[in-house]
Amino acid sequence: MMADIAPAGAAAIARAATLLRAGRLVAFPTETVYGLGGDATNDHAVAAIFAAKARPRFNPLIVHVRDLAEAETLAVFNSPAHRAAARFWPGPLTLVLPRQPGAGLSLLASAGLDTVAIRVPAHSVAQVLLREADRPIAAPSANRSGRVSPTEAAHVAEDLFGLESTVLDLSGETPALLRPGAVTFEALTELLGPVGLPGSALPKSPGMLASHYAPRLPVRLAAAEARPGEALLAFGADAPPGFAQVLWLSRAGDLAEAAANLFAMLRRLDRPSFSGIAVMPIPDHGLGLAINDRLRRAAAPRQMPPFK
Ligand code: TXA
Ligand code: MG
């Protein structure tokens, strides 16, 4: 993979925007930390973000947008969300809200969840990039550990806060702080009233949320033959016969394509007309590690009530 580093002048940002629109990844500064960004409406670009990690896991990503109006096309805002956005956007506050149905946002970006984490960054480079790319950008914090020399870090440090954004879940009954960050707990409680803290007995923490996501149908891994009524997620050219329906994660056996399709296809097959979802073996390397991690959790004993 080729990395290309440019100072963030107008020409460089325009080129970065063109790359993003073409489904490529771009590292860019925000007022907190650098993000590794990809087009949040493109499952393949989002798969490439996960693939860029040494040990990929499908943790849900933050979707960056230029302003509140764009955020409202992607997420469902309630009254506390409007108050928080009015007070802290643009800035280092991420809101977890229900996804707006049919908004075209990659399901992989939020790891298959019904919610989306969204924020409007204040940094001028991020702002210009979002406007020129003209689409939401999914970006985890870029991993700088052990890779950036002190001199390089000095160049970028001056306009970076260094602390990631605060993640506030407003999708439930009461606001819940999922990750402390640049916007303080005190500032949030002053604005919104009681806010649940991370580690308290909350119904939702990011880890729990992510691991609780599972299809309602039983999921069977490494399937080699059909059982009655099962649907199949196939990988590779040849699928065994006899399944009620087959969706191909990737006919070419491409792990990035399989990652891009995973959550959308699991949802499409999670219907009571099938007896279960069988999944063909997925190679356990590269993005296959993240796919298998997520499939194992989907196949684990139910946390959710099955279909009646
Ligand atoms: O400052 C920041 O927030 C940086 C810059 C680049 O914006 N981004 C960042 O992204 O830190 P990331 O992917 O490293 O952290 C995202 C956090 C994780 O803790 C994740 O679990 C949580 O947000 N998160 C994302 N989507 C979520 C969702 N739908 N529900 C609950 N938590 C979510
Ligand atoms: Mg991070």
Side-chain angles (χ1 to χ4, degrees):
M1 194 196 292
M2 293 278 289
D4 181 1
I5 300 173
I13 300 177
R15 193 157 48 84
T18 305
L19 288 170
L20 276 170
R21 295 171 68 97
R24 305 279 298 280
L25 305 188
V26 168
F28 65 99
T30 79
E31 74 279 24
T32 57
V33 297
Y34 267 71
L36 179 66
D39 180 350
T41 65
N42 179 340
D43 279 321
H44 291 88
V46 175
I49 296 174
F50 290 110
K53 301 200 172 184
R55 257 172 294 133
R57 284 273 299 270
F58 295 138
N59 292 322
L61 306 176
I62 293 172
V63 173
H64 300 71
V65 294
R66 68 179 104 167
D67 56 21
L68 174 62
E70 187 176 21
E72 283 177 301
T73 67
L74 303 178
V76 181
F77 277 66
N78 49 25
S79 145
H82 274 121
R83 270 183 288 147
R87 172 74 179 78
F88 295 110
W89 281 0
L93 178 67
T94 296
L95 301 178
V96 173
L97 298 168
R99 292 168 69 100
Q100 196 73 259
L105 204 58
S106 160
L107 253 189
L108 184 60
S110 43
L113 298 170
D114 291 323
T115 54
V116 58
I118 199 159
R119 86 175 183 98
V120 178
H123 195 285
S124 62
V125 171
Q127 274 290 331
V128 176
L129 182 63
L130 282 162
R131 277 159 211 277
E132 296 211 2
D134 194 25
R135 63 202 57 206
I137 300 176
S141 49
N143 185 7
R144 297 169 298 159
S145 58
R147 302 189 110 194
V148 179
S149 75
T151 11
E152 286 165 326
H155 285 292
V156 301
E158 48 204 336
D159 57 350
L160 299 189
F161 200 81
L163 183 62
E164 291 171 326
S165 65
T166 303
V167 180
L168 181 68
D169 185 354
L170 294 177
S171 70
E173 292 274 293
T174 46
L177 187 66
L178 298 185
R179 182 177 76 182
V183 169
T184 65
F185 174 74
E186 288 75 13
L188 292 172
T189 50
E190 194 184 317
L191 183 74
L192 302 173
V195 172
L197 278 165
S200 64
L202 291 170
K204 293 176 176 184
S205 72
M208 288 171 66
L209 253 184
S211 62
H212 277 199
Y213 171 71
R216 277 168 288 183
L217 286 181
V219 173
R220 189 165 68 86
L221 304 183
E225 79 304 309
R227 292 184 187 167
E230 269 185 338
L232 179 71
L233 278 180
F235 182 85
D238 305 306
F243 287 94
Q245 187 176 344
V246 180
L247 292 179
W248 257 272
L249 287 171
S250 171
R251 277 184 198 269
D254 180 303
L255 289 167
E257 185 185 8
N261 286 328
L262 179 65
F263 291 107
M265 288 185 173
L266 271 176
R267 286 191 176 216
R268 274 168 63 194
L269 293 183
D270 193 20
R271 298 204 313 262
S273 49
F274 302 124
S275 63
I277 302 172
V279 188
M280 286 174 68
I282 311 288
D284 219 11
H285 60 79
L287 270 178
L289 292 171
I291 295 171
N292 284 324
D293 168 69
R294 199 39 67 105
L295 285 171
R296 270 193 299 274
R297 296 200 227 178
R302 302 297 75 181
Q303 308 272 7
M304 278 161 71
F307 287 117
K308 292 273 152 58

